[in-house]
Amino acid sequence: MKILQNLTFFFARGLTLKVLMFFLPPLFAVILFRSPYVFEHKYEVGSVWLYDDVVAPFSFPIYKDEKQYQEEIARVYNEVYFIFDVDTQVYKNQLNEIHVFLTNLKSYLDLKQAHQVKSNNKRDSAEIENLKKVLIQKITPEEVEKIEFLYKVGYFNLNKLKLSAETYLSSIYRPVGVISIPRSALRRNEIVLRKGKFEEVYKQGKFYDLSEARVFAEDFVQKNFPEFGVIDSTYFDLIAKIFYSFVKPNLIFNEEETNDLIEREKSKILRTAGVVRENEKIISRHEIITPEKYLKLESLRRAQKERGIGTGQVLKDLGRFILISSILTIFWIYLYMYRKKIYFDNKLLSLITALFMFEILLAFLITRMKAGYEVNYLILIPAFSMLMTIIFDSRVAFWATAAISLVIGSITGYSYDITVASFVAGAISIYSVRSIGNRMQIFRSFIFIFIAYAFVVLSFSFQKQESINVILTKLSFVAGNALLSPILTYGLLVFFEKIFGIMTEITLLELSDFNHPLLRELSARAPGTFHHSIAVATLAEAAAKAIGANSVLARVGAYYHDVGKILNPEFFVENQMESDKLHSSITPEQSVQIIISHVEEGQKMARKYGLPSEIIKFIPMHHGTTLVAYFYGKALKRRELRNVEIEESNFRYKGPKPDSKETGIVMLADSVEAAVRSLDEKTPENIEKTVEAIFENRIEDGQLDESNLTFKDIEEIKKTFIQMLVNLYHPRVKYPEQEKVIEKKSGENKQVKFKATRKTKKSGNVSS
């Protein structure tokens, strides 16, 4: 537990963590945006060079455009001949194999026919089976049976089949032959055939690949064996299969030799297209960037990258780190001088650091999009500005926007136009959400952001005399920025509220809605307490405004300070005029426990309904450690009668005491409102005396010691309370009709008013 407390203290006040958060954004920016080895300007073919003249600091080669170089490499692949080694034995071997197959097939058919006549010849049966085993290496048993059928009906002419097979193989192999790779793999219309030491170029069309040989077999069979179509067309496929099964590539692709040839041809292609000499002018200011000048600029960038490894880059990165740190230092000084509450709260500083780093990361991702220089207008600075405004305030947001605009401008190539556009749009977005009433109002900032960006973009574009296409491109990115910024703000706001446990003005405004479930329940079950809370909220808000505290926080805290009374509303005087009867039936100790328990129960209910911790703390702090004087007095009288020990601590609230101006104001407003409401005569003098007495009591009791309220603040609060209560309870003018009604009913109500007055006097302190 002690370790956890130390970590909490370190997180809240630790100097080491504060230093870390200061250096984290610039370090993050340097890591993401490593300094290039050449000038950081953005340029492209056809644009105007707006920077200083560029002179070659040393001689360097002009590298070809990568696309051009790759096209030349691809041309090599398309122009190089594929080399094939010719195997002259393949045709002879395949012709011999098909002769053997057909001889075996004829022997099989003859034996099979003879065996059917002499079925008892076992020797023939064995030979038939052996021949069949040889045949089924090329065709299936079913296909063997089909051939038997053709042979039996007289449609199978083995001599014709043999001649046709020889003709087929001759047609395939005689021109050139069959290549070992698919024809689609060839990159040009010719191939090189290598026979020993001799090479010869052959064009496509004089050779086949395996798939073409199969198609040729099918066509060949249909032309030469038309009679099979009368019986069954599947016999075409069977004979074609037999012919094709004896086809084997005789042109073997020599991949190694071919690749060596390609590499030799590639080595002949130069990577460079000339040389830039030392002190040669590459481009002048305001000169059009031609393709040739673009290549020189890119070549200089590459040459400097090759030469600048080491000290040069380190110095550039160090310079960028110092620049960004200097920019952020101004913002941190502002926080230290004018927003000490933020500066000394490392949780809030970590939130600011996270926002800065998120914006830098966003800039990095956007600048990596291959969409030209104009894409930088998509960097969502307005989202950053709106988040800072909603989470903190408009002044903090303004200084933060100025800082992040300068940082983004520096990391995107020291772009003056991007910096100005980001700052103007961010400032306008701050204006659009400075007095936001609910989350949906975030989206109205769309038009403000677009107009701000558009004015800056047009002003720079007109001065540069940019084309309409360039202007429209920039405006399209601006429109995207204006659309995405509110969406991102809305999403991140919820995220940061949950992760960092912060409460924004929007959260307070949403909690101030009387339709909130907890306030509706308070209104329904404890209407007196509900109206008391509204009155306290009115006093607290006015007092907070008077001393410069957070008036909205004070008002919302007052709305929820007594929600614990929902569980036992009848025990509190503001809800029932006869509440004293309930307390008269129990001991003072029991009564005070019921009264004090509304604090603990209120905190439980507030957590159940998901109220922020800043609101929940109003529930115990509006009583602090004050004494429940009414029941303590009853207990003292009881001690005199029954000689019972009374501990004052048992009649005090558990606290803690108010720790902020807002909680201190609500404590005073709660006590003052209850006391003045119970007065019989609410004259200005009585009101002033009552307020003075309550303030004096709270100060003497030490309840305001931790609230940061000064004596000047207390006097201003006191004056505000008195003025508002006097105005609230000043006598009204009675019209003649009202006088008659009052006189008529005064006699009837006299007794009731007397009793009610007595009850109010007795139970006046119970509302505490």
Side-chain angles (χ1 to χ4, degrees), residues 372-420:
Y373 170 73
E374 293 80 9
V375 76
N376 290 338
Y377 285 100
L378 195 57
I379 299 174
L380 307 178
I381 296 294
F384 173 88
S385 302
M386 289 190 289
L387 284 169
M388 293 294 294
T389 305
I390 296 169
I391 296 173
F392 300 102
D393 58 63
S394 57
R395 292 186 180 182
V396 172
F398 181 84
W399 281 89
T401 299
I404 194 64
S405 298
L406 290 170
V407 170
I408 295 300
S410 69
I411 61 181
T412 55
Y414 303 102
S415 307
Y416 180 67
D417 49 350
I418 295 296
T419 301
V420 174

Short mmCIF file of all heavy atoms in Angstrom, two decimals, residues 372-420:
data_model
loop_
_atom_site.label_atom_id
_atom_site.label_comp_id
_atom_site.label_asym_id
_atom_site.label_seq_id
_atom_site.Cartn_x
_atom_site.Cartn_y
_atom_site.Cartn_z
N GLY A 372 1.32 13.59 -52.83
CA GLY A 372 1.86 14.92 -53.10
C GLY A 372 1.92 15.79 -51.86
O GLY A 372 1.47 15.43 -50.77
N TYR A 373 2.47 16.98 -52.07
CA TYR A 373 2.67 17.91 -50.97
C TYR A 373 1.34 18.35 -50.35
O TYR A 373 1.27 18.62 -49.16
CB TYR A 373 3.43 19.13 -51.51
CG TYR A 373 3.51 20.29 -50.56
CD1 TYR A 373 4.34 20.23 -49.45
CD2 TYR A 373 2.76 21.44 -50.77
CE1 TYR A 373 4.42 21.29 -48.57
CE2 TYR A 373 2.83 22.50 -49.89
CZ TYR A 373 3.67 22.43 -48.80
OH TYR A 373 3.73 23.48 -47.94
N GLU A 374 0.27 18.41 -51.16
CA GLU A 374 -1.02 18.92 -50.69
C GLU A 374 -1.62 18.08 -49.57
O GLU A 374 -2.47 18.55 -48.82
CB GLU A 374 -2.02 19.00 -51.85
CG GLU A 374 -1.69 20.04 -52.91
CD GLU A 374 -0.62 19.54 -53.89
OE1 GLU A 374 -0.29 18.33 -53.82
OE2 GLU A 374 -0.11 20.36 -54.67
N VAL A 375 -1.18 16.81 -49.44
CA VAL A 375 -1.74 15.94 -48.41
C VAL A 375 -1.46 16.46 -47.00
O VAL A 375 -2.15 16.09 -46.04
CB VAL A 375 -1.20 14.50 -48.57
CG1 VAL A 375 0.23 14.41 -48.07
CG2 VAL A 375 -2.07 13.49 -47.85
N ASN A 376 -0.47 17.35 -46.86
CA ASN A 376 -0.16 17.90 -45.54
C ASN A 376 -1.32 18.71 -44.97
O ASN A 376 -1.39 18.93 -43.75
CB ASN A 376 1.09 18.78 -45.61
CG ASN A 376 2.36 17.95 -45.85
OD1 ASN A 376 2.38 16.75 -45.58
ND2 ASN A 376 3.38 18.57 -46.38
N TYR A 377 -2.22 19.17 -45.83
CA TYR A 377 -3.39 19.91 -45.34
C TYR A 377 -4.40 18.97 -44.66
O TYR A 377 -5.40 19.44 -44.12
CB TYR A 377 -4.07 20.65 -46.49
CG TYR A 377 -3.31 21.87 -46.93
CD1 TYR A 377 -2.50 21.85 -48.06
CD2 TYR A 377 -3.38 23.06 -46.20
CE1 TYR A 377 -1.78 22.96 -48.46
CE2 TYR A 377 -2.66 24.18 -46.59
CZ TYR A 377 -1.86 24.13 -47.72
OH TYR A 377 -1.15 25.24 -48.10
N LEU A 378 -4.13 17.69 -44.70
CA LEU A 378 -5.00 16.72 -44.03
C LEU A 378 -4.58 16.46 -42.59
O LEU A 378 -5.25 15.74 -41.86
CB LEU A 378 -5.01 15.41 -44.83
CG LEU A 378 -6.10 14.39 -44.52
CD1 LEU A 378 -7.48 14.98 -44.69
CD2 LEU A 378 -5.94 13.15 -45.40
N ILE A 379 -3.47 17.04 -42.16
CA ILE A 379 -3.03 16.86 -40.76
C ILE A 379 -4.03 17.55 -39.85
O ILE A 379 -4.27 18.76 -39.96
CB ILE A 379 -1.62 17.43 -40.56
CG1 ILE A 379 -0.62 16.70 -41.46
CG2 ILE A 379 -1.19 17.31 -39.10
CD1 ILE A 379 0.77 17.27 -41.45
N LEU A 380 -4.62 16.80 -38.94
CA LEU A 380 -5.80 17.25 -38.20
C LEU A 380 -5.43 18.11 -36.98
O LEU A 380 -5.71 17.74 -35.83
CB LEU A 380 -6.62 16.04 -37.78
CG LEU A 380 -7.01 15.08 -38.91
CD1 LEU A 380 -7.79 13.90 -38.37
CD2 LEU A 380 -7.80 15.80 -39.98
N ILE A 381 -4.85 19.27 -37.23
CA ILE A 381 -4.56 20.20 -36.13
C ILE A 381 -5.83 20.67 -35.42
O ILE A 381 -5.86 20.78 -34.19
CB ILE A 381 -3.75 21.41 -36.66
CG1 ILE A 381 -2.39 20.96 -37.18
CG2 ILE A 381 -3.58 22.46 -35.57
CD1 ILE A 381 -1.46 20.42 -36.13
N PRO A 382 -6.93 20.96 -36.15
CA PRO A 382 -8.15 21.41 -35.45
C PRO A 382 -8.66 20.42 -34.41
O PRO A 382 -9.21 20.82 -33.39
CB PRO A 382 -9.15 21.59 -36.60
CG PRO A 382 -8.31 21.89 -37.79
CD PRO A 382 -7.09 21.07 -37.62
N ALA A 383 -8.50 19.12 -34.67
CA ALA A 383 -8.93 18.13 -33.67
C ALA A 383 -8.13 18.30 -32.39
O ALA A 383 -8.68 18.25 -31.28
CB ALA A 383 -8.74 16.73 -34.24
N PHE A 384 -6.82 18.51 -32.52
CA PHE A 384 -5.96 18.76 -31.36
C PHE A 384 -6.43 20.01 -30.62
O PHE A 384 -6.56 20.00 -29.38
CB PHE A 384 -4.52 18.94 -31.85
CG PHE A 384 -3.54 19.37 -30.80
CD1 PHE A 384 -2.88 18.45 -30.01
CD2 PHE A 384 -3.26 20.72 -30.60
CE1 PHE A 384 -1.97 18.86 -29.04
CE2 PHE A 384 -2.37 21.14 -29.64
CZ PHE A 384 -1.71 20.20 -28.86
N SER A 385 -6.73 21.08 -31.35
CA SER A 385 -7.13 22.34 -30.73
C SER A 385 -8.46 22.20 -29.99
O SER A 385 -8.62 22.70 -28.87
CB SER A 385 -7.25 23.43 -31.80
OG SER A 385 -6.03 23.58 -32.49
N MET A 386 -9.41 21.51 -30.60
CA MET A 386 -10.72 21.35 -29.96
C MET A 386 -10.62 20.49 -28.71
O MET A 386 -11.28 20.77 -27.69
CB MET A 386 -11.71 20.74 -30.96
CG MET A 386 -12.12 21.71 -32.07
SD MET A 386 -13.50 21.11 -33.09
CE MET A 386 -12.69 19.79 -33.98
N LEU A 387 -9.81 19.44 -28.76
CA LEU A 387 -9.64 18.60 -27.57
C LEU A 387 -9.02 19.40 -26.43
O LEU A 387 -9.46 19.29 -25.27
CB LEU A 387 -8.76 17.40 -27.91
CG LEU A 387 -9.43 16.27 -28.69
CD1 LEU A 387 -8.40 15.27 -29.20
CD2 LEU A 387 -10.46 15.55 -27.82
N MET A 388 -8.00 20.20 -26.73
CA MET A 388 -7.36 21.02 -25.69
C MET A 388 -8.35 22.02 -25.11
O MET A 388 -8.34 22.30 -23.91
CB MET A 388 -6.15 21.75 -26.28
CG MET A 388 -4.99 20.85 -26.68
SD MET A 388 -4.19 20.02 -25.28
CE MET A 388 -3.48 21.41 -24.41
N THR A 389 -9.23 22.57 -25.95
CA THR A 389 -10.22 23.54 -25.48
C THR A 389 -11.23 22.89 -24.56
O THR A 389 -11.55 23.42 -23.48
CB THR A 389 -10.94 24.18 -26.68
OG1 THR A 389 -9.99 24.75 -27.57
CG2 THR A 389 -11.90 25.27 -26.21
N ILE A 390 -11.75 21.74 -24.98
CA ILE A 390 -12.80 21.08 -24.21
C ILE A 390 -12.25 20.52 -22.90
O ILE A 390 -12.88 20.62 -21.84
CB ILE A 390 -13.44 19.96 -25.05
CG1 ILE A 390 -14.15 20.57 -26.27
CG2 ILE A 390 -14.44 19.16 -24.22
CD1 ILE A 390 -14.59 19.55 -27.29
N ILE A 391 -11.06 19.93 -22.95
CA ILE A 391 -10.48 19.32 -21.75
C ILE A 391 -9.95 20.37 -20.79
O ILE A 391 -10.11 20.24 -19.57
CB ILE A 391 -9.36 18.33 -22.15
CG1 ILE A 391 -9.94 17.18 -22.97
CG2 ILE A 391 -8.64 17.80 -20.92
CD1 ILE A 391 -8.90 16.23 -23.55
N PHE A 392 -9.33 21.42 -21.32
CA PHE A 392 -8.74 22.45 -20.46
C PHE A 392 -9.51 23.76 -20.62
O PHE A 392 -10.57 23.91 -20.03
CB PHE A 392 -7.25 22.61 -20.78
CG PHE A 392 -6.46 21.35 -20.56
CD1 PHE A 392 -6.09 20.55 -21.62
CD2 PHE A 392 -6.11 20.95 -19.28
CE1 PHE A 392 -5.38 19.37 -21.42
CE2 PHE A 392 -5.40 19.77 -19.06
CZ PHE A 392 -5.04 18.98 -20.14
N ASP A 393 -9.00 24.70 -21.38
CA ASP A 393 -9.72 25.93 -21.67
C ASP A 393 -9.16 26.54 -22.94
O ASP A 393 -8.17 26.07 -23.49
CB ASP A 393 -9.63 26.91 -20.49
CG ASP A 393 -8.20 27.27 -20.12
OD1 ASP A 393 -7.52 27.87 -20.97
OD2 ASP A 393 -7.75 26.95 -19.00
N SER A 394 -9.78 27.61 -23.40
CA SER A 394 -9.41 28.18 -24.70
C SER A 394 -8.01 28.79 -24.70
O SER A 394 -7.32 28.77 -25.72
CB SER A 394 -10.44 29.24 -25.11
OG SER A 394 -10.55 30.24 -24.13
N ARG A 395 -7.56 29.34 -23.57
CA ARG A 395 -6.22 29.95 -23.54
C ARG A 395 -5.12 28.89 -23.62
O ARG A 395 -4.14 29.04 -24.36
CB ARG A 395 -6.06 30.80 -22.29
CG ARG A 395 -6.94 32.04 -22.28
CD ARG A 395 -6.66 32.93 -21.10
NE ARG A 395 -7.51 34.12 -21.11
CZ ARG A 395 -7.45 35.10 -20.21
NH1 ARG A 395 -6.57 35.02 -19.21
NH2 ARG A 395 -8.27 36.13 -20.30
N VAL A 396 -5.29 27.83 -22.86
CA VAL A 396 -4.33 26.72 -22.94
C VAL A 396 -4.33 26.15 -24.35
O VAL A 396 -3.28 25.86 -24.93
CB VAL A 396 -4.68 25.62 -21.92
CG1 VAL A 396 -3.81 24.38 -22.13
CG2 VAL A 396 -4.50 26.14 -20.50
N ALA A 397 -5.52 26.01 -24.93
CA ALA A 397 -5.63 25.47 -26.28
C ALA A 397 -4.96 26.37 -27.30
O ALA A 397 -4.32 25.89 -28.25
CB ALA A 397 -7.11 25.28 -26.65
N PHE A 398 -5.07 27.69 -27.12
CA PHE A 398 -4.47 28.63 -28.08
C PHE A 398 -2.95 28.49 -28.07
O PHE A 398 -2.32 28.40 -29.14
CB PHE A 398 -4.87 30.06 -27.72
CG PHE A 398 -4.32 31.09 -28.66
CD1 PHE A 398 -4.98 31.38 -29.84
CD2 PHE A 398 -3.15 31.77 -28.37
CE1 PHE A 398 -4.47 32.32 -30.73
CE2 PHE A 398 -2.63 32.71 -29.24
CZ PHE A 398 -3.30 32.99 -30.42
N TRP A 399 -2.35 28.47 -26.89
CA TRP A 399 -0.89 28.33 -26.80
C TRP A 399 -0.44 26.96 -27.31
O TRP A 399 0.59 26.84 -28.00
CB TRP A 399 -0.43 28.54 -25.36
CG TRP A 399 -0.37 29.99 -24.98
CD1 TRP A 399 -1.37 30.75 -24.46
CD2 TRP A 399 0.76 30.86 -25.12
NE1 TRP A 399 -0.95 32.04 -24.27
CE2 TRP A 399 0.36 32.13 -24.66
CE3 TRP A 399 2.06 30.70 -25.57
CZ2 TRP A 399 1.22 33.23 -24.64
CZ3 TRP A 399 2.92 31.78 -25.55
CH2 TRP A 399 2.50 33.03 -25.09
N ALA A 400 -1.21 25.93 -27.00
CA ALA A 400 -0.86 24.59 -27.48
C ALA A 400 -0.97 24.51 -29.00
O ALA A 400 -0.15 23.87 -29.65
CB ALA A 400 -1.77 23.54 -26.83
N THR A 401 -1.98 25.18 -29.56
CA THR A 401 -2.15 25.19 -31.02
C THR A 401 -0.98 25.89 -31.69
O THR A 401 -0.47 25.43 -32.73
CB THR A 401 -3.47 25.87 -31.39
OG1 THR A 401 -4.55 25.14 -30.81
CG2 THR A 401 -3.66 25.93 -32.90
N ALA A 402 -0.56 27.01 -31.12
CA ALA A 402 0.60 27.72 -31.68
C ALA A 402 1.84 26.82 -31.66
O ALA A 402 2.60 26.75 -32.64
CB ALA A 402 0.85 28.99 -30.88
N ALA A 403 2.02 26.08 -30.56
CA ALA A 403 3.18 25.20 -30.44
C ALA A 403 3.13 24.05 -31.43
O ALA A 403 4.10 23.77 -32.15
CB ALA A 403 3.29 24.67 -29.01
N ILE A 404 1.99 23.37 -31.51
CA ILE A 404 1.90 22.20 -32.39
C ILE A 404 1.96 22.62 -33.86
O ILE A 404 2.48 21.88 -34.71
CB ILE A 404 0.63 21.38 -32.10
CG1 ILE A 404 0.72 19.99 -32.76
CG2 ILE A 404 -0.61 22.09 -32.58
CD1 ILE A 404 1.80 19.12 -32.23
N SER A 405 1.46 23.81 -34.20
CA SER A 405 1.53 24.29 -35.59
C SER A 405 2.99 24.51 -36.00
O SER A 405 3.39 24.15 -37.12
CB SER A 405 0.74 25.59 -35.74
OG SER A 405 -0.63 25.39 -35.46
N LEU A 406 3.78 25.10 -35.11
CA LEU A 406 5.20 25.30 -35.41
C LEU A 406 5.93 23.96 -35.51
O LEU A 406 6.80 23.77 -36.36
CB LEU A 406 5.84 26.17 -34.33
CG LEU A 406 5.40 27.65 -34.32
CD1 LEU A 406 5.90 28.35 -33.06
CD2 LEU A 406 5.90 28.37 -35.57
N VAL A 407 5.58 23.03 -34.63
CA VAL A 407 6.21 21.70 -34.67
C VAL A 407 5.88 20.98 -35.97
O VAL A 407 6.76 20.44 -36.65
CB VAL A 407 5.76 20.85 -33.45
CG1 VAL A 407 6.22 19.40 -33.61
CG2 VAL A 407 6.32 21.43 -32.16
N ILE A 408 4.60 20.98 -36.35
CA ILE A 408 4.18 20.31 -37.59
C ILE A 408 4.84 20.97 -38.79
O ILE A 408 5.29 20.30 -39.73
CB ILE A 408 2.65 20.33 -37.73
CG1 ILE A 408 2.00 19.50 -36.61
CG2 ILE A 408 2.22 19.82 -39.09
CD1 ILE A 408 2.41 18.06 -36.60
N GLY A 409 4.92 22.31 -38.78
CA GLY A 409 5.58 23.01 -39.87
C GLY A 409 7.04 22.62 -40.01
O GLY A 409 7.56 22.47 -41.12
N SER A 410 7.72 22.40 -38.88
CA SER A 410 9.15 22.06 -38.92
C SER A 410 9.39 20.64 -39.39
O SER A 410 10.34 20.36 -40.11
CB SER A 410 9.77 22.26 -37.53
OG SER A 410 9.28 21.29 -36.62
N ILE A 411 8.51 19.72 -39.02
CA ILE A 411 8.74 18.32 -39.38
C ILE A 411 8.21 17.97 -40.76
O ILE A 411 8.46 16.88 -41.27
CB ILE A 411 8.13 17.35 -38.33
CG1 ILE A 411 6.62 17.53 -38.23
CG2 ILE A 411 8.80 17.53 -36.99
CD1 ILE A 411 5.96 16.63 -37.21
N THR A 412 7.46 18.88 -41.38
CA THR A 412 6.96 18.64 -42.74
C THR A 412 7.71 19.47 -43.76
O THR A 412 7.17 19.86 -44.79
CB THR A 412 5.45 18.93 -42.84
OG1 THR A 412 5.20 20.27 -42.38
CG2 THR A 412 4.66 17.95 -42.01
N GLY A 413 8.96 19.78 -43.47
CA GLY A 413 9.79 20.49 -44.44
C GLY A 413 9.83 21.98 -44.23
O GLY A 413 10.04 22.73 -45.19
N TYR A 414 9.64 22.43 -43.00
CA TYR A 414 9.67 23.86 -42.67
C TYR A 414 8.72 24.63 -43.59
O TYR A 414 9.09 25.63 -44.21
CB TYR A 414 11.09 24.41 -42.77
CG TYR A 414 12.06 23.67 -41.90
CD1 TYR A 414 12.93 22.72 -42.42
CD2 TYR A 414 12.07 23.88 -40.53
CE1 TYR A 414 13.80 22.01 -41.61
CE2 TYR A 414 12.94 23.17 -39.70
CZ TYR A 414 13.80 22.24 -40.24
OH TYR A 414 14.64 21.53 -39.42
N SER A 415 7.48 24.14 -43.64
CA SER A 415 6.48 24.70 -44.55
C SER A 415 5.76 25.86 -43.88
O SER A 415 4.98 25.66 -42.94
CB SER A 415 5.47 23.63 -44.95
OG SER A 415 6.13 22.49 -45.46
N TYR A 416 6.01 27.06 -44.37
CA TYR A 416 5.38 28.25 -43.79
C TYR A 416 3.87 28.23 -44.02
O TYR A 416 3.09 28.59 -43.13
CB TYR A 416 5.99 29.50 -44.41
CG TYR A 416 5.41 30.79 -43.90
CD1 TYR A 416 5.61 31.19 -42.58
CD2 TYR A 416 4.66 31.62 -44.74
CE1 TYR A 416 5.08 32.37 -42.11
CE2 TYR A 416 4.12 32.80 -44.28
CZ TYR A 416 4.32 33.18 -42.96
OH TYR A 416 3.79 34.35 -42.50
N ASP A 417 3.45 27.81 -45.21
CA ASP A 417 2.01 27.81 -45.50
C ASP A 417 1.26 26.79 -44.66
O ASP A 417 0.16 27.05 -44.18
CB ASP A 417 1.76 27.57 -46.99
CG ASP A 417 2.54 26.38 -47.53
OD1 ASP A 417 3.40 25.87 -46.80
OD2 ASP A 417 2.27 25.97 -48.68
N ILE A 418 1.86 25.62 -44.42
CA ILE A 418 1.22 24.61 -43.57
C ILE A 418 1.13 25.11 -42.13
O ILE A 418 0.12 24.94 -41.45
CB ILE A 418 2.00 23.28 -43.63
CG1 ILE A 418 1.92 22.67 -45.03
CG2 ILE A 418 1.46 22.29 -42.60
CD1 ILE A 418 0.54 22.28 -45.47
N THR A 419 2.19 25.76 -41.67
CA THR A 419 2.20 26.29 -40.30
C THR A 419 1.11 27.32 -40.11
O THR A 419 0.33 27.27 -39.14
CB THR A 419 3.57 26.91 -39.99
OG1 THR A 419 4.59 25.92 -40.15
CG2 THR A 419 3.61 27.45 -38.56
N VAL A 420 1.02 28.27 -41.04
CA VAL A 420 0.01 29.34 -40.92
C VAL A 420 -1.39 28.76 -41.02
O VAL A 420 -2.28 29.10 -40.22
CB VAL A 420 0.23 30.40 -42.02
CG1 VAL A 420 -0.89 31.42 -42.01
CG2 VAL A 420 1.57 31.09 -41.81
#
